[in-house]
Amino acid sequence: ELARYTMPDEDAVNNIPNLEKKYPGAMPYFFTQDPDYLTLKVRVSSYCVDGTEPLGVATIDVAIETLKVAEYLTPILQDQLK
């Protein structure tokens, strides 16, 4: 194993109570990914307002190809984890 990432990290977990108060009733997964969603919303909003290139935001075509790779790799990686 070369690396392992755990999500949410400690900072995200510590911020969940604040976000639950700020956004009551929101789906819990939004809380753990709040910084990423904020970045995404700012980039997409800027694109809509002034045409600023939304760097790092995948297009639908990129998303489809990424899912194809994930579907291909899933059984291979699951087998390696046995």
Side-chain angles (χ1 to χ4, degrees):
E1 180 173 320
L2 297 176
R4 184 173 286 222
Y5 177 77
T6 302
M7 196 219 169
D9 63 17
E10 188 176 332
D11 291 337
V13 170
N14 292 335
N15 194 37
I16 289 172
N18 299 328
L19 293 169
E20 287 175 328
K21 289 178 189 170
K22 188 174 180 179
Y23 305 107
M27 298 301 290
Y29 60 84
F30 285 118
F31 301 140
T32 60
Q33 299 175 18
D34 183 65
D36 296 325
Y37 281 122
L38 178 59
T39 299
L40 177 64
K41 289 187 283 187
V42 167
R43 290 179 183 178
V44 172
S45 298
S46 295
Y47 176 73
C48 293
V49 170
D50 61 22
T52 302
E53 178 80 21
L55 297 176
V57 177
T59 64
I60 292 296
D61 292 332
V62 169
I64 290 169
E65 293 304 313
T66 302
L67 287 173
K68 288 177 184 177
V69 171
E71 288 174 349
Y72 170 78
L73 288 176
T74 297
I76 294 169
L77 296 174
Q78 286 174 332
D79 199 43
Q80 290 179 8
L81 291 172
K82 290 180 183 176

